[in-house]
Amino acid sequence: MQNVLILGTGSAGLTAAIYTARANLEPLVLEGLQPGGQLTTTTDVENFPGFPEGIMGPDLMDRMKKQAERFGARFKMALVEKADFSSQPYKVTTDDGTVYEAKTIIISTGASAKYLGLPSEQKLIGRGVTSCATCDGAFYRDVPVAVVGGGDTAMEEATFLTRFASKVYVIHRRDEFRASRIMADRVLNHEKIEVIWDTVVTEVLDVEKNEVTGLKLKNVKTGEESDLAVQALFMAIGHKPNTDPFQGQLEMDDVGYLKTTSTRTSVPGVFAAGDVQDPLYRQAITAAGSGCAAALEAERFLESAGHGA
Ligand code: NDP
């Protein structure tokens, strides 16, 4: 029986591991499919405080893991398949059939940015194809870039990218935005932004380079095909929180994000931190902050009557 079982090893899970390990709770951390989380798919991280020269995403996550191990956190590679939070001890079953029992659970399974699924796009993730303008926008100064999507995220990313790029193309599959009026107007009225309506990306080009050099586009109404020269493609077609194993166990919003008060989920003793409960900020530092909060709340829960560690 574990005091604390942490699911996921992005910056939320690893911060929760550091805090619960330092509190002598000997957390067990299940690493999941993408150890290190979304930061392992980025290169330079320039906005995590404490690294004035920047740090590589995988390096940052590796350091967080070592810091947690130093205080006694234990790690296992295992993919969570289902959970039973109907009574104590809480149970989590992984893909190899192992059932883990724990007094408290911290869910930090993250969210995955959606991509189009084109082979050429997948090949260039991290080399011009990205899903985070805040993380990668500053690398594309004075060059043209493209954003795909028509929701608030696409509007926000496109507007943000005008600070750096010479030109921002917004490529949307329909002839109107889903985004809120105010954010859409900001895009429509911006002199650096050009919207390409009714259009999908059919291929990401990397002519003679192993990084993005352009896009092949197709107008879905006329069938017309064209090429667009850009040096980066920012995907903004939504995120999917990784909450499938918790369906029916915890309250979620329409999209599947866990509903939380601070980091408390709808089940006492089950906490959630990071992108799995945050559709708004989705930053490594906010995830780390909520991982710390979840750890402190788990600690307090264990101290409360009947759950002494
Ligand atoms: P949304 O689901 O709102 O929008 C996704 C967009 O991507 C849609 O325009 C959709 O097109 C398009 N899309 C989806 N799949 C594909 C595909 N396969 N190919 C091409 N285009 C595709 O996601 P967001 O991330 O924009 O927003 C999520 C939530 O977060 C929303 O509630 C939003 O309001 C909120 N948010 C709020 C912000 C703020 O207020 N500051 C900032 C960012 C997000 P279509 O329209 O045709 O379906």
Side-chain angles (χ1 to χ4, degrees), residues 116 148-153 156 172-174 178 183 236-238 280:
L116 298 169
V148 177
D152 281 333
T153 301
E156 199 168 63
H172 185 37
R173 64 184 176 184
R174 290 192 292 135
R178 168 185 300 275
M183 295 182 72
I237 60 172
L280 272 187

Side-chain angles (χ1 to χ4, degrees), residues 114-116 148-156 171-174 176-180 183 199-201 235-239 255 257 279-280 282:
K114 291 191 204 161
Y115 286 88
L116 298 169
V148 177
D152 281 333
T153 301
M155 304 301 110
E156 199 168 63
I171 300 163
H172 185 37
R173 64 184 176 184
R174 290 192 292 135
E176 60 176 348
F177 286 138
R178 168 185 300 275
S180 56
M183 295 182 72
T199 296
V200 292
V201 176
M235 297 307 306
I237 60 172
H239 279 75
V255 184
Y257 285 96
L280 272 187
R282 300 196 298 244

Side-chain angles (χ1 to χ4, degrees), residues 176-195:
E176 60 176 348
F177 286 138
R178 168 185 300 275
S180 56
R181 189 60 187 262
I182 182 166
M183 295 182 72
D185 282 349
R186 235 172 255 160
V187 161
L188 294 168
N189 297 327
H190 202 293
E191 57 182 11
K192 269 193 179 180
I193 302 179
E194 180 179 333
V195 182

Side-chain angles (χ1 to χ4, degrees), residues 7-8 20 23 66 79 96 99 113 131 133 184 188 197 203 213-215 247 266 268 283:
L7 312 178
T20 50
K66 287 198 176 103
L79 189 60
D96 61 359
V99 179
S131 56
L188 294 168
W197 301 105
E203 194 181 341
T213 56
L215 306 172
Q247 291 285 347
S266 52
Q283 298 301 299

Side-chain angles (χ1 to χ4, degrees), residues 196 199 202 215-219 224-228:
I196 304 178
T199 296
T202 53
L215 306 172
K216 267 203 182 312
L217 305 179
K218 183 176 182 183
N219 183 302
E224 192 186 324
E225 293 188 327
S226 58
D227 285 1
L228 181 70

